[in-house]
Amino acid sequence: MDDILEQIALCVENGKINQSSPYPPTMKGQLGADELTLQALEEGTAPSDVLSKGLIVGMGRIGTKFRENKVFVPQVLMSAKAMNVAMAHLKSFFMDGSVKRKGKIIIGTVEGDLHDIGKNLVSMIAEGNGYEVIDLGVDVTADKFIEAIKMNPGAFVGMSALLTTTMVNMEKINKLIKSEFPEVITCVGGAPLNDDFAKKIGADYYTNEPQALVEILDKLIA
């Protein structure tokens, strides 16, 4: 059982989607995350183990490599594709409650900013690490964040900004969230931001890369 879970983790880490996918060349012709996940479930492996000991392990590894500049965005995207294909086999188990997510995080690029690469990377790595992601997209107003919080009580909130001109919107949005939901944990990130800015606007955490956010969330739910 542990062997097939490790194989699943390796497929996610290396972006091996299925047997027919040519990427990565070193795994050409081998079973991918798709087939191995289905095989594990058919052999009686607990769906929760497939998630926690297979998929999450693989995404954790690629997230760490990305933080250390050992891989780049294309490799992370391939890992996310492999993870998403495998997750499709677990969908019914999420629906019936036999597999539980670690928690929820609401993510969006703040009002006035249309950049989404960083946000998308965070979304993929957070989902791959066992979190349910509510992705609000780009140019997200305070009202949209607040509506999502009302619909998802207990969720964390992640806000992204790439433009210095939209940092003021992030400050406004965070203050409005905190005024209505003081208990909600807010996290901010983006190229022009830093820890001092996060503290200044009243955000709880600042991260400069996706895996660090996952590590923060894991500590908060521990």
Side-chain angles (χ1 to χ4, degrees), residues 121-164:
L121 285 172
V122 170
S123 295
M124 289 184 290
I125 290 180
E127 184 175 14
N129 277 274
Y131 289 90
E132 181 178 348
V133 176
I134 297 94
D135 189 343
L136 302 181
V138 299
D139 193 24
V140 183
T141 63
D143 287 344
K144 288 181 181 177
F145 275 110
I146 287 171
E147 181 182 357
I149 294 168
K150 288 177 180 176
M151 294 177 63
N152 298 277
F156 302 104
V157 173
M159 291 176 280
S160 171
L162 190 65
L163 303 174
T164 55

Side-chain angles (χ1 to χ4, degrees), residues 78-96:
M78 291 304 297
S79 291
K81 286 182 179 180
M83 182 269 296
N84 284 330
V85 167
M87 290 279 275
H89 296 300
L90 298 180
K91 187 174 181 180
S92 62
F93 300 103
F94 286 121
M95 298 293 287
D96 68 17

Side-chain angles (χ1 to χ4, degrees), residues 1 43 66 74 97 99-100 103 124 152 155 188-189 201:
M1 183 183 296
E43 291 176 352
F66 183 67
V99 176
K100 294 192 180 343
M124 289 184 290
N152 298 277
V188 297
I201 69 170

Side-chain angles (χ1 to χ4, degrees), residues 133-216:
V133 176
I134 297 94
D135 189 343
L136 302 181
V138 299
D139 193 24
V140 183
T141 63
D143 287 344
K144 288 181 181 177
F145 275 110
I146 287 171
E147 181 182 357
I149 294 168
K150 288 177 180 176
M151 294 177 63
N152 298 277
F156 302 104
V157 173
M159 291 176 280
S160 171
L162 190 65
L163 303 174
T164 55
T165 52
T166 58
M167 290 168 66
V168 64
N169 293 337
M170 181 178 280
E171 179 175 9
K172 177 186 72 174
I173 291 168
N174 191 76
K175 286 181 177 177
L176 287 170
I177 290 173
K178 287 293 189 179
S179 67
E180 191 159 347
F181 306 98
E183 75 285 358
V184 168
I185 302 295
T186 58
C187 309
V188 297
L193 280 60
N194 56 39
D195 194 51
D196 287 340
F197 174 76
K199 291 176 181 175
K200 173 178 172 284
I201 69 170
D204 296 289
Y205 295 96
Y206 157 78
T207 62
N208 59 0
E209 51 86 22
Q211 192 61 29
L213 176 61
V214 170
E215 291 167 3
I216 288 169

Side-chain angles (χ1 to χ4, degrees), residues 16 26 29 32 35 91 109 113-114 122 135 172 175 184 220:
K16 179 63 174 173
T26 55
E35 296 91 353
K91 187 174 181 180
T109 304
D113 202 321
L114 301 178
V122 170
D135 189 343
K172 177 186 72 174
K175 286 181 177 177
V184 168
L220 291 171

Side-chain angles (χ1 to χ4, degrees), residues 45-118:
T45 305
S48 57
D49 285 343
V50 174
L51 177 64
S52 63
K53 299 179 181 179
L55 302 179
I56 288 177
V57 170
M59 283 304 292
R61 290 174 184 168
I62 197 71
T64 299
K65 286 181 178 180
F66 183 67
R67 173 172 59 193
E68 296 172 352
N69 293 318
K70 293 179 179 177
V71 298
F72 302 98
V73 171
Q75 290 99 319
V76 177
L77 293 176
M78 291 304 297
S79 291
K81 286 182 179 180
M83 182 269 296
N84 284 330
V85 167
M87 290 279 275
H89 296 300
L90 298 180
K91 187 174 181 180
S92 62
F93 300 103
F94 286 121
M95 298 293 287
D96 68 17
S98 54
V99 176
K100 294 192 180 343
R101 301 278 197 174
K102 291 180 180 178
K104 293 183 180 183
I105 179 166
I106 298 161
I107 289 178
T109 304
V110 298
E111 182 179 5
D113 202 321
L114 301 178
H115 294 87
D116 66 355
I117 293 176

